[in-house]
Amino acid sequence: MTRVAAVDCGTNSIRLLIADVESDGSTPRLADVVREMRVVRLGQGVDATGELAQEALDRTFAAASEYAGLIKSHGATKVRFVATSATRDARNRQDFVDGIRGLLGVEPEVITGDAEAALSFAGASSVLPSRGEDPILVVDLGGGSTEFVLGNADGVIAARSVDVGCVRMTERHLRSDPPTAEQIAAAEADVDAALDEAARTVPLDRSAAVVGVAGSVTTITAHALRLQEYSAEAIHGTELSLDAVRRACTELLAMSHAERAALPYMHPGRVDVIGAGALVWRRVLERLADATDLRVTTAVTSEHDILDGIALSIS
């Protein structure tokens, strides 16, 4: 058994997984020891300025310092730190790299969108029942980008990362509280263009099922389920009709900041961006329903995602 530590640093949050890797035959499995998340909004302003803001770096370094202590105290022997969309886009990403190296003693990897997509698929598919050769579409809806990965039991068939996410769309378009019809239309146009781009690489029409991962999707699922508190156990593996998910998305998008903040399952760091996350997820599911000629009628939510894929990659 090997104890590993994986860190996923995205546009909105930084997450840690310390896990024991157990091998059942040739298939490694993760047994969680610690799973933590901090909303640091590393991507604050990156879409507009092209640089990581100093206050965003400070928040991220504070969380990374806390994670370094947890990694040491729990005795993880292998560590991998992966950074995604916001860091890829920033001119001053070397400041981020140097800071993380100093805190954790490992080189943070600023990975490509395609590498991010493959790790997301590995994490999500690791906990799903096998569907054999039927292709599954995994959608990782992040803060700065969204990854589309089509794969089956043999691995990834096609993957594409596009630059739409809950933070990017909020900062670019959804500035009113609640957003106006014009702002929503502009954001939807961006998402539609990104979906056109993704579809040129990923054959959406081949999808037999869709799995959504990351904080926007899990929060939307919590809203659809009307949970009284956020519960990963209640959310993970939930399969809902596309109509139910779209209704939940529409409700969240129409809410004011205060109404979203009052929801018992809403993380404070997601209040201002969940409307954009809902807009993106709704548009993705509408496109998928059209592409599959309504063959895909439900969406599964997974709490396991790129973070689990990172941990499995160093096992």
Side-chain angles (χ1 to χ4, degrees), residues 84-96:
T84 55
S85 177
T87 318
R88 280 198 300 267
D89 296 344
R91 287 190 296 268
N92 62 336
R93 71 181 187 178
Q94 194 60 45
D95 295 340
F96 168 83

Side-chain angles (χ1 to χ4, degrees), residues 1-117:
M1 186 182 298
T2 304
R3 179 161 290 184
V4 302
V7 182
D8 165 38
C9 187
T11 300
N12 197 46
S13 63
I14 181 170
R15 300 180 301 149
L16 168 70
L17 172 61
I18 301 173
D20 290 327
V21 183
E22 303 167 345
S23 182
D24 178 13
S26 60
T27 304
R29 294 289 178 185
L30 300 175
D32 288 13
V33 177
V34 171
R35 195 179 283 263
E36 297 282 341
M37 187 270 287
R38 303 286 182 270
V39 173
V40 294
R41 195 63 57 82
L42 178 61
Q44 173 191 331
V46 168
D47 190 57
T49 68
E51 292 192 348
L52 299 167
Q54 187 58 52
E55 58 267 34
L57 286 168
D58 291 343
R59 291 192 297 267
T60 304
F61 292 156
S65 179
E66 181 184 354
Y67 288 175
L70 289 170
I71 291 167
K72 182 178 180 180
S73 66
H74 286 282
T77 57
K78 294 182 179 180
V79 181
R80 187 179 183 190
F81 188 111
V82 165
T84 55
S85 177
T87 318
R88 280 198 300 267
D89 296 344
R91 287 190 296 268
N92 62 336
R93 71 181 187 178
Q94 194 60 45
D95 295 340
F96 168 83
V97 169
D98 292 343
I100 294 298
R101 187 193 305 113
L103 289 166
L104 289 173
V106 297
E107 190 76 10
E109 301 171 50
V110 183
I111 62 172
T112 66
D114 287 346
E116 184 177 356

Side-chain angles (χ1 to χ4, degrees), residues 51-211:
E51 292 192 348
L52 299 167
Q54 187 58 52
E55 58 267 34
L57 286 168
D58 291 343
R59 291 192 297 267
T60 304
F61 292 156
S65 179
E66 181 184 354
Y67 288 175
L70 289 170
I71 291 167
K72 182 178 180 180
S73 66
H74 286 282
T77 57
K78 294 182 179 180
V79 181
R80 187 179 183 190
F81 188 111
V82 165
T84 55
S85 177
T87 318
R88 280 198 300 267
D89 296 344
R91 287 190 296 268
N92 62 336
R93 71 181 187 178
Q94 194 60 45
D95 295 340
F96 168 83
V97 169
D98 292 343
I100 294 298
R101 187 193 305 113
L103 289 166
L104 289 173
V106 297
E107 190 76 10
E109 301 171 50
V110 183
I111 62 172
T112 66
D114 287 346
E116 184 177 356
L119 288 170
S120 295
F121 184 82
S125 61
S126 70
V127 293
L128 294 173
S130 174
R131 295 178 184 257
E133 294 302 309
D134 290 340
I136 298 169
L137 180 68
V138 172
V139 182
D140 185 343
L141 202 173
S145 65
T146 297
E147 283 65 54
F148 296 84
V149 197
L150 190 70
N152 57 20
D154 295 327
V156 174
I157 297 169
R160 187 66 177 264
S161 177
V162 294
D163 286 338
V164 293
C166 62
V167 174
R168 195 184 296 270
M169 291 297 97
T170 299
E171 291 186 349
R172 188 178 292 179
H173 297 295
L174 306 186
R175 300 187 181 94
S176 299
D177 179 28
T180 66
E182 292 77 15
Q183 291 170 351
I184 291 171
E188 287 179 336
D190 271 7
V191 176
D192 288 345
L195 285 166
D196 289 342
E197 180 184 341
R200 285 193 283 272
T201 302
V202 180
L204 301 178
D205 61 321
R206 291 182 56 188
S207 305
V210 60
V211 180

